[in-house]
Every structure is written in C-alpha cells, then in structure tokens.
Amino acid sequence: MHGFLAAHKRKHGDIFTVLIAGKYITFIMNPLLYPYVIKHGKQLDFHEFSDQVAPMTFGYPPVNSGRFPGLADHIQRSFRLLQGENLDSLTESMMRNLMLVFRQDYLSGESEWSTENMYQFCNSVMFEATFLTMFGKPAHTNRHSGMATLREDFVEFDNMFPLLIARIPIFLLRGTKTIRDKLINYLHPAEMSKWSNTSLFIKERAALFEQYECLGDRDKAAHHFAILWASVGNTVPATFWALYYLVTHPEALLVVREEINSVLQLAGIEADTRTNISFTREQLDRLIYLESSINESLRLSSASMNIRVAQEDFSLRLEGESSIKVRKGDIISLYPQSMHMDPEIYENPEDYKFDRYIEDGKEKTDFYKEGQRLKYYRMPFGSGSTKCPGRYFAINEMKQFLSLLVLYFDMEVVEGQKLCTLDPSRAGLGILLPATDIKIRYRLRQA
Ligand code: HEM
C-alpha cells in the first residue's frame, strides 16, 4: 500500500484519485494538507463508512437503520467512559489484572531461563488482562476458565478480519461464522450478568442496550464483541512491537528500565514480585522515555487508513487559493504511514530510535515538512472527532505491561533467528502484525 501510494505520488503529486472496486478514493498525501480534511468533520464523515462495515463484520443490525432511534449517539457518548476520571479506574484495574496473570502464569519464583514465542506471550497476557478489565471476572473465581479457547477463536476470527472489512460475505469464509457465533455467545447478557468487576464503560453500554426492546440478546452480545475487538485487535500487535524493539535495542531497554526504577524509587515503592505494584496516572505520565519508545514503535508498525465519505457535493478548500471538487459519496483518504516513513519529517525513517520523541528531557512535538511545522506528525489512532477513544487507555496499558516485564524479567531474543518484518495483509486497518513470531528467553531478574 505504502509503495503503491508513493509511486502514484511521484507520478501525480500530493492529491490523486484512484478508482478502487467501483469507488473513487482521493488520497491526500501531503501531511501539511491533513488539517484541511480533518476540520471538515461534518461534510467528510467517518461514520458513514464504519456504520456500514462494522455491523457486517461483527454481526449486529445496522445502528442507523431507523429501528434504534438515538442509539448511535448514545454509543458515541459511551466512549467518554474510556477517558477522563474513568481512565484512572480502568488503569488501576488493568494493573491488578496484569499482576494476576503474571503472578499465576509467569512469576513462579524460578530463576531458570524459559522460552516463549514473543507474540503469543504478549497476546496471552494482554488479551486476558484487557478482557478482565473491560468485562469483569466470573462469580466465584478470578479468571475465566475458557480463556485460552476464547483467545484462539479470537485469533482465528481476527485472521479473517481484513476480508470481512472488505465486505466479503461471512458465509464464504469457511468456519468464520461459527467462530464468530461462539465469540458472540461468550458475551451473552445472561452470562455477563454473572460477572463482577465489570468496567463502568461496559456496564453503561449494557444498560443502554436494555433500553432498546428490538435489540435481541444476541445483538447486544455482538456489540460487546465489537468492543472486545476494538480493545485488543490493535493493542496486542502494538504491545508486541513495543516489546520487540526494546528487547532488540539493549541501549533503549537500559534507559527505560532506569526511568521506571527512578519513578518507583521517588515514590518509595520497591519492585518486589510478592507485592502488587501500581502506578498512579502521574507516575505513568512521567515515563516519557517509555512513552517515546512506544510511540516510535507505533510509528513503525501502524498502517491505518483514515477514511471520510463526502456527505454532499462541495469544494474542499486546501491551502491558499487551491481547492478540489468533491462529489457526494466520494471517499477522501489519509494514509499516515506515508507520513510516518517520510525522510523529510523523520530522519532515517526505517530506523527505530527510542528517544525520537524526546528533546531536552521533554516530549518533542515539533516536526517539519517543507520548512513548516506539522500539526499532525504521528497518527496511529486516527484523526479528528473520530480519533480512537481508547488511545489513552491503550498507551497506559502498554506502559504497565512493559514496566512489569522490564522490572521483573531479563529477556532476550533466542540467537540464530531472522528479525521480524511486518505482515502487510492488514494494510489500511491498523497496527500490522509480524510476518512470523520470534522466540525469546526470559528469567526472573536476580535481586
Ligand atoms: C477506533 C486505533 C486501542 C476503542 C480506532 C481507530 C483507530 C484506532 C485508527 C479509527 C479512528 C479513525 O479512523 O478516525 C487504535 C490503536 C490502538 C487502539 C492503534 C492500540 C494501540 C483501543 C482500545 C480501545 C479502543 C484499548 C478500548 C476499548 C476504540 C473504539 C473505536 C476505535 C470504540 C471506534 C470509535 C468510533 O466509532 O468513533 N482505534 N485503537 N481502541 N477504537 Fe481504538
């Protein structure tokens, strides 16, 4: 995708239209022009696209069909529960769940080296801890018994995700409907009502769905399933890349480990495998080298396409006097990967530089193109009013996961393996997965 667009840019300039599967898609390639597109939120709408694709993918009836008055707005409003004050309780709960999974599965007290596949490791910890944080725990125990199967089913569904988003009917994708039904059933309201410690976000959404009589129990469960996908579909690969780059760059790991230790020492907390550690929001915010390293790995691994559908014929004003004519139904698209890999903005863009977003001990926010400062220079979470509402939680949970690993474990890539490359099959849809997994060995850090 990146190569295809770069070739067209060389031939046609910063703006060009491509006819893909009967749809005219206009790509705006120069990030200096992004603000002109992003500010036209009303005329260039994201939800027209997602409202068509998400119901088909996750299996609930279209929200905007007229059968559910007000539901789409309520759903949008529910996203505020992922941010602000609620972010604190989500983050605290995530830390408890990460500690629970780590302690029971990995902190066995042995100091021998163990070997794991890195992606599988990130997936197993982050999937379960995020699930428990969002949806809660079963009545009489701390962990869901069917988690490994649920995760495997999820991975199988997720492998088909690009085809579903491309609107290939699910019945043509062998076995995918059965798997999706299984995943949806897991989140059936009758089951979920037995769970406790459910996040306010999910509780409020469940209460909202109850107000719509024509929304069946299966439909409600399918909405929950969509949130399960949103909360782990990108976070797991993003966590993988953040860990992968740290482990393969010992100089970065060293700085990040020192930073985490010094934030804990300042608070008088001793990292000890027997006691629970928690970070306040302020402490997480102070981990700026860790944050820069995460942002750098997001820059290198994200390939989401920002899609906007024109709601009317209009003239899209760009810089100066220039404008482009847009027809109702046309698609305008931004492809931030091209910006993330632009050598004019990021020197040696292929390289991982863990402190790329730090300057003079503070977050660096000035990046330039054609001598002008960019308003948008890193966009893994989309843009404008539809920007990912879970982005603060995502960064926090990655920081927590990485902090625990860095504090408790020595970790290294097993020698003799090829380095990881990006699997392009999800280009346009978010964080790319690694083409192959990689073996790591780890052991408890010696005191
Ligand atoms: C939407 C990225 C984690 C919830 C999106 C969008 C992107 C994105 C690109 C589309 C925005 C647009 O096109 O303007 C990511 C990445 C994540 C992540 C890279 C992790 C690294 C999360 C988490 C949640 C979440 C943890 C929490 C539940 C959502 C929701 C939407 C969304 C609900 C739909 C928003 C809407 O319909 O307006 N995300 N996301 N995301 N994300 Fe995330």
Side-chain angles (χ1 to χ4, degrees), residues 22-24 42-45 48 308-315 324-332:
K23 286 272 176 203
Y24 287 101
K42 277 227 168 72
Q43 285 152 313
L44 291 173
D45 181 57
E48 176 167 339
R308 302 285 183 269
V309 183
Q311 301 301 298
E312 58 194 32
D313 292 349
F314 77 107
S315 192
I324 52 168
K325 292 245 177 299
V326 180
R327 291 159 299 193
K328 185 172 187 240
D330 277 0
I331 294 173
I332 304 285

Side-chain angles (χ1 to χ4, degrees), residues 6-148:
H8 275 65
K9 181 178 147 79
R10 279 194 297 276
K11 197 163 166 196
H12 304 289
D14 281 336
I15 303 169
F16 50 84
T17 302
V18 187
L19 180 63
I20 302 177
K23 286 272 176 203
Y24 287 101
I25 306 187
T26 298
F27 287 92
I28 311 278
M29 297 298 287
N30 186 341
L32 286 167
L33 301 178
Y34 284 8
Y36 298 95
V37 175
I38 292 167
K39 74 178 178 200
H40 280 87
K42 277 227 168 72
Q43 285 152 313
L44 291 173
D45 181 57
F46 162 77
H47 286 110
E48 176 167 339
F49 173 75
S50 61
D51 287 349
Q52 281 175 21
V53 174
M56 274 183 76
T57 304
F58 298 109
Y60 56 77
V63 176
N64 278 339
S65 62
R67 283 173 63 206
F68 312 105
L71 182 59
D73 288 342
H74 285 302
I75 285 181
Q76 280 300 308
R77 276 200 286 277
S78 75
F79 295 152
R80 76 184 193 293
L81 294 171
L82 292 167
Q83 302 177 5
E85 279 176 18
N86 290 292
L87 180 62
D88 288 343
S89 50
L90 274 180
T91 306
E92 279 165 28
S93 167
M94 182 69 191
M95 194 66 170
R96 280 195 299 276
N97 291 319
L98 279 171
M99 290 294 306
L100 174 80
V101 177
F102 268 127
R103 181 158 297 135
Q104 294 191 357
D105 293 355
Y106 298 99
L107 293 176
S108 57
E110 287 166 24
S111 51
E112 297 305 308
W113 288 101
S114 306
T115 310
E116 282 268 351
N117 285 320
M118 190 191 271
Y119 192 87
Q120 225 169 300
F121 171 73
C122 294
N123 192 20
S124 107
V125 178
M126 286 300 270
F127 186 93
E128 181 168 359
T130 309
F131 188 96
L132 288 167
T133 303
M134 286 285 156
F135 296 98
K137 66 187 189 73
H140 302 295
T141 159
N142 282 331
R143 297 175 75 176
H144 294 265
S145 57
M147 191 49 68

Side-chain angles (χ1 to χ4, degrees), residues 254-275:
L254 200 69
V255 172
V256 161
R257 182 173 278 142
E258 264 173 28
E259 180 182 60
I260 297 165
N261 272 323
S262 77
V263 164
L264 286 178
Q265 269 162 20
L266 214 66
I269 300 169
E270 205 173 316
D272 178 333
T273 52
R274 282 157 305 169
T275 47

Side-chain angles (χ1 to χ4, degrees), residues 46-47 76 79 82 134 201 227 230-231 234-235 238 298 304-306 308 380-383 386-390 393-394 397-398 431:
F46 162 77
H47 286 110
Q76 280 300 308
F79 295 152
L82 292 167
M134 286 285 156
F201 171 59
I227 288 298
S231 62
N234 281 309
T235 313
L298 286 172
S304 62
M305 179 144 89
N306 289 212
R308 302 285 183 269
F381 294 109
S383 56
T386 60
K387 205 168 175 185
C388 170
F393 177 57
E397 56 177 340
M398 281 194 266
I431 305 295

Side-chain angles (χ1 to χ4, degrees), residues 296-357:
E296 175 69 342
S297 60
L298 286 172
R299 179 185 71 80
L300 286 166
S301 61
S302 98
S304 62
M305 179 144 89
N306 289 212
I307 288 181
R308 302 285 183 269
V309 183
Q311 301 301 298
E312 58 194 32
D313 292 349
F314 77 107
S315 192
L316 174 62
R317 282 281 308 271
L318 299 172
E319 62 188 340
E321 292 303 299
S322 69
S323 63
I324 52 168
K325 292 245 177 299
V326 180
R327 291 159 299 193
K328 185 172 187 240
D330 277 0
I331 294 173
I332 304 285
S333 173
L334 311 178
Y335 197 65
Q337 194 188 19
S338 304
M339 167 175 73
H340 294 157
M341 301 311 284
D342 184 341
E344 202 189 330
I345 304 169
Y346 293 111
E347 201 186 339
N348 300 327
E350 308 285 341
D351 294 352
Y352 170 80
K353 212 170 154 284
F354 77 99
D355 56 356
R356 203 184 276 276
Y357 294 104

